Amino acid sequence: MLPKSFRKALCFAGVFTMVIGSLSGCGGKEEAAGGSTASVEEAAEEVTFPLADNYKFSIMTRVASDSEQDFSKKALVQRMEEATNVTAEYKAIPEEQFDDKYKLALSKSDMPDVVTKMYIKPYDILGYAKKGVFIPLEDYIETNMPNLKKVLDARPEVRASITAADGHIYTLPFVNEWSTNSKENINVIGAIPYINVAWLDQLGLSMPTTTDELKTVLEAFAKDIKVENGTVVPMSFRINQVNQDPGISLGAFGCGDNMDHYMVTNDKKVYYTLAQEDARKGLEWLHDLYAEGLVDPEIFSQDGATYSAKVASGRVGLFYDWAIGLAGDYTDQYEALPPLAGPDGTVNVPRQNYYSFDMGVTAVTSACERPSVVCAYLDQYFEPSLSIQNCYGTYDDPNYTNVFTKEGDMLKWTEEGAADGKIRNDQNLYDCFAILSDYYGVYVDRMLDSDALRLEMVSTIYSPSITSDFNYPAAFMEQQDITRISEIETDLKKYAEQVKAEIVKDGITDEAWKGYLDKLNQMGLEELITLKQKGFDLFYELTNYEKAGQSAEASEN
C-alpha cells in the first residue's frame, strides 16, 4: 500500500483530471530518426491517476558505477507505479558510456520514449527537434504539468532558458536553487582559493588582503615551510579547468576571468574577458609569481587525479577548487582566501555563467505513444517534496540506507544520508526535480550541509565584492545564431586559452598582445560578441526584467 504521506505529495498533480487540448506543432506523424515515422498524440486525452489500465514507457538514464543499477528496486519508482499505474522501465547506462549510447539510441527507430540526464545545449536540442526526435512539450506543460508550470511561472528565467526561438519547449529542466539572490547562489563563482592558515599561524603571518601581501606570503611559504612528504608548493591550480582555474583572483586587476570568458557590464554590454587589458594585467601578475617559482610548474599539464593527490598531501600553500574538502586529511588547515585588492585598490569577484538549473535534461521522443500520460507522470516529481526526494533520496525504504525520515510533511536528513553521496545515489533518480530556496524549512528541514557551508561562504565572503549585476544567461537563440557561435567559438576559445596559459608561463609584450587581439578579431570575435549580445537582449526581454537589454533597432538609434 502506498504510504499516506506519499499519496498526499502526489495529490497536487495526480488526483485530478487533465484534459489535453490541441497540440501546437505536435499533431499527426513526425519524421523521426532514420527517416521512420512515429505516432505523436493527436486527440485530447483525459489522464486520471491511477490509470484504469497499466501503461508502460521506456526511459534511458545515466548512473554512477558505484550506485544501484536496477532502478526498479528504488522505492521512488515503486511508489510512483503504485500511485499512477504507470510503469517507468528504466534503462540505466553507466556514466562513462552514456553519452555515446543515448546518441546511438536516438538515431534508431526503436528509440526510448524518454531520455533523461543528457545535459545537452541548445544546438543539440534543436538538432534533435528538427529531425523529429524530440517533440514539443509546451502544451503538455500547460495542461499536464501543473507542478512544473508553477515553477516556471515563479522563475521566468528558467522558462526563457528552455524556450526555443520558435516558441517551443523541447526539454524539461531540473532546478536546484540555493538563494533567490543571484549574487549569493553557491554557483555564482566556481573555483574558490583556499589558503593554508596553519602555515600562516606557524610563520606569524596575517591573512593577505592584497595581491602584494599574497606574494609576500607565498615567498614565506617557499622559504620557511618544511614538509615531510615532498617539496612545498606555494600555489597550485589547473589553468583553464572548470572549478580549478584562478580566474577569480584576477578580479583584483579588473574584470577577472571565468570558464566561458563572457561577462556583462552593468549597462548590459557583453564582452570577452580574454580580450581585455584588465585580464592581461592579472595574467602577468600570475606570470611574475610563476617566474619566481611560487606557482606549481605543473599547472599546465596536471590532470585532476594528480592535482587532487598533491593538494591532499598537505604540501600546497594555496589551491583552487569548488570545495575545501579536496585537501583531504588536511582540510582543517585551510580557509577561504577573501577577495584581494589589486595594485590600484580594485576589489572584484568575477561571476561565473553557472545557473541554478540545467535546461537540456529530459526529452520526450516521437516514439512515445502517450506523451500526455508520460508528462503527467514526470510532473509528479516536480512537486516540492518529491523533487527533494528525486534529487537526494527518500525514506522508509527497507532495502537501502535511508536519506530521510519523514515527520508529518517534513523530510529530515538522516546522519548517513547527509554524509554519504553513494547512499543518496542509491535512492535518488536525479532527473526531474525543482528545488527552490524557499523549500528549505518547509518541505525539508535544512540544506545539505556541504551546500549550506558553501552558501554561507559565498554569501558572506565573496558576494559583497561581486560588482557585476548580471551574468550571461542561458539564452536559447535561433538555430542559425547558435550554429554560427559554435563555429566561431570552437577555434577562438582554444586559441584564447592557449595564449592565456602562455602569458602565465612566459609573459607577453605589447606587440605580441596586439597581434593576439588582431587574430581574435580575424577569427570572428566581433561577430561572436554581436550574436551573444543579441541572445542576452532577447533573454532579458523574455523574462520581463525592468529596462531589459535593448533591441537591435534601439541600439542603432
Side-chain angles (χ1 to χ4, degrees):
M1 184 67 182
L2 187 68
K4 181 178 179 181
S5 55
F6 195 85
R7 293 201 306 274
K8 183 175 181 180
L10 283 173
C11 73
F12 178 80
V15 191
F16 67 97
T17 301
M18 289 169 283
V19 181
I20 308 303
S22 60
L23 304 179
S24 172
C26 299
K29 300 280 185 176
E30 296 282 350
E31 184 174 344
S36 63
T37 58
S39 176
V40 178
E41 183 176 343
E42 299 178 16
E45 180 184 14
E46 293 186 355
V47 179
T48 305
F49 290 141
L51 299 180
D53 299 312
N54 178 260
Y55 176 71
K56 295 181 180 180
F57 73 95
S58 57
I59 177 168
M60 178 178 282
T61 188
R62 72 173 77 210
V63 63
S65 58
D66 64 343
S67 298
E68 176 56 64
Q69 308 291 300
D70 184 354
F71 276 44
S72 69
K73 295 180 179 178
K74 299 196 178 202
L76 285 173
V77 175
Q78 295 169 1
R79 293 171 185 170
M80 279 286 283
E81 180 170 358
E82 184 176 355
T84 64
N85 201 20
V86 175
T87 303
E89 297 182 324
Y90 279 87
K91 183 176 182 181
I93 307 298
E95 178 82 34
E96 61 275 10
Q97 303 174 23
F98 181 80
D99 287 346
D100 290 335
K101 289 200 172 184
Y102 93 78
K103 292 173 185 176
L104 179 62
L106 292 179
S107 70
K108 296 181 177 181
S109 59
D110 60 343
M111 69 182 84
D113 298 313
V114 176
V115 181
T116 190
K117 297 172 78 170
M118 293 181 292
Y119 314 128
I120 59 176
K121 302 305 179 187
Y123 179 85
D124 294 312
I125 294 171
L126 290 175
Y128 284 121
K130 185 177 181 180
K131 294 176 183 177
V133 174
F134 293 169
I135 66 170
L137 300 173
E138 63 275 2
D139 289 315
Y140 298 112
I141 292 172
E142 286 298 310
T143 55
N144 289 86
M145 306 189 77
N147 290 309
L148 176 58
K149 184 177 182 299
K150 185 176 181 180
V151 172
L152 298 182
D153 289 345
R155 300 293 184 266
E157 66 274 19
V158 180
R159 183 184 289 275
S161 76
I162 63 175
T163 303
D166 62 8
H168 292 307
I169 294 173
Y170 297 106
T171 55
L172 303 176
F174 75 63
V175 182
N176 201 355
E177 177 186 86
W178 296 273
S179 173
T180 54
N181 183 340
S182 65
K183 289 186 178 182
E184 293 182 354
N185 237 319
I186 67 174
N187 50 11
V188 69
I189 58 176
I192 288 177
Y194 295 102
I195 192 166
N196 195 320
V197 291
W199 290 2
L200 292 178
D201 292 342
Q202 182 180 334
L203 300 178
L205 299 172
S206 300
M207 180 74 77
T209 61
T210 69
T211 52
D212 286 343
E213 288 177 5
L214 177 60
K215 181 179 179 180
T216 299
V217 164
L218 296 177
E219 289 171 339
F221 285 172
K223 178 176 179 290
D224 298 323
I225 292 295
K226 307 298 179 185
V227 293
E228 297 179 355
N229 53 349
T231 58
V232 165
V233 179
M235 179 181 190
S236 190
F237 50 85
R238 296 176 68 215
I239 199 160
N240 294 320
Q241 298 299 317
V242 174
N243 294 331
Q244 294 178 338
D245 180 270
I248 185 174
S249 293
L250 305 188
F253 298 85
C255 64
D257 190 27
N258 61 26
M259 285 295 92
D260 61 9
H261 317 302
Y262 297 111
M263 290 187 185
V264 184
T265 67
N266 284 348
D267 59 356
K268 303 183 181 71
K269 300 300 180 184
V270 179
Y271 64 95
Y272 199 72
T273 58
L274 293 183
Q276 306 303 310
E277 187 66 30
D278 291 348
R280 174 190 172 182
K281 290 177 181 177
L283 294 172
E284 289 186 312
W285 167 70
L286 283 178
H287 167 67
D288 290 341
L289 300 180
Y290 181 85
E292 291 191 24
L294 303 178
V295 174
D296 186 352
E298 296 184 330
I299 58 170
F300 311 104
S301 59
Q302 60 189 343
D303 60 18
T306 301
Y307 180 64
S308 178
K310 183 180 298 179
V311 171
S313 71
R315 57 191 184 91
V316 177
L318 176 69
F319 72 92
Y320 292 76
D321 197 68
W322 174 268
I324 196 170
L326 193 71
D329 292 341
Y330 295 89
T331 295
D332 290 345
Q333 293 188 10
Y334 291 87
E335 289 182 9
L337 175 67
L340 301 173
D344 65 357
T346 296
V347 179
N348 174 47
V349 171
R351 297 177 70 141
Q352 295 284 354
N353 297 318
Y354 298 161
Y355 321 105
S356 58
F357 56 89
D358 196 300
M359 61 192 293
V361 181
T362 304
V364 179
T365 76
S366 54
C368 183
E369 295 180 354
R370 298 179 68 184
S372 55
V373 173
V374 169
C375 287
Y377 176 94
L378 296 176
D379 186 59
Q380 310 307 306
Y381 285 123
F382 286 104
E383 185 277 330
S385 180
L386 289 181
S387 282
I388 294 163
Q389 294 172 66
N390 187 294
C391 178
Y392 294 116
T394 191
Y395 59 92
D396 290 347
D397 184 348
N399 298 316
Y400 301 97
T401 301
N402 286 293
V403 174
F404 297 112
T405 60
K406 190 157 189 179
E407 298 180 15
D409 292 332
M410 178 77 75
L411 295 166
K412 294 192 173 184
W413 286 96
T414 64
E415 182 177 346
E416 299 85 356
D420 193 333
K422 182 185 182 307
I423 288 174
R424 297 193 291 272
N425 289 339
D426 279 338
Q427 287 196 325
N428 71 4
L429 305 178
Y430 206 83
D431 48 22
C432 291
F433 63 88
I435 302 174
L436 304 185
S437 58
D438 53 12
Y439 290 2
Y440 294 103
V442 177
Y443 300 99
V444 62
D445 61 342
R446 68 182 194 278
M447 193 174 289
L448 187 65
D449 293 344
S450 57
D451 290 345
L453 178 64
R454 183 177 171 90
L455 177 61
E456 180 181 10
M457 183 185 303
V458 170
S459 62
T460 59
I461 299 176
Y462 297 104
S463 293
S465 297
I466 295 176
T467 60
S468 176
D469 294 335
F470 304 98
N471 62 357
Y472 192 86
F476 207 145
M477 292 174 275
E478 297 177 1
Q479 188 167 26
Q480 62 267 29
D481 292 342
I482 296 170
T483 300
R484 184 58 183 147
I485 288 171
S486 179
E487 290 172 350
I488 298 173
E489 273 187 336
T490 299
D491 292 330
L492 187 146
K493 184 179 182 184
K494 181 178 180 181
Y495 172 64
E497 290 184 345
Q498 174 188 328
V499 173
K500 173 183 172 181
E502 289 172 354
I503 295 173
V504 175
K505 186 176 182 181
D506 302 318
I508 193 167
T509 64
D510 290 343
E511 182 180 1
W513 178 255
K514 182 180 182 301
Y516 160 70
L517 294 180
D518 288 344
K519 186 168 182 179
L520 287 181
N521 289 325
Q522 292 169 11
M523 298 175 80
L525 178 60
E526 184 176 349
E527 180 184 2
L528 178 64
I529 294 302
T530 298
L531 291 171
K532 296 292 283 189
Q533 185 73 52
K534 178 181 177 182
F536 177 91
D537 294 345
L538 175 62
F539 179 89
Y540 278 94
E541 288 167 3
L542 288 173
T543 51
N544 296 316
Y545 276 61
E546 183 181 1
K547 298 179 182 178
Q550 296 180 1
S551 66
E553 291 183 2
S555 297
E556 291 173 1
N557 297 333

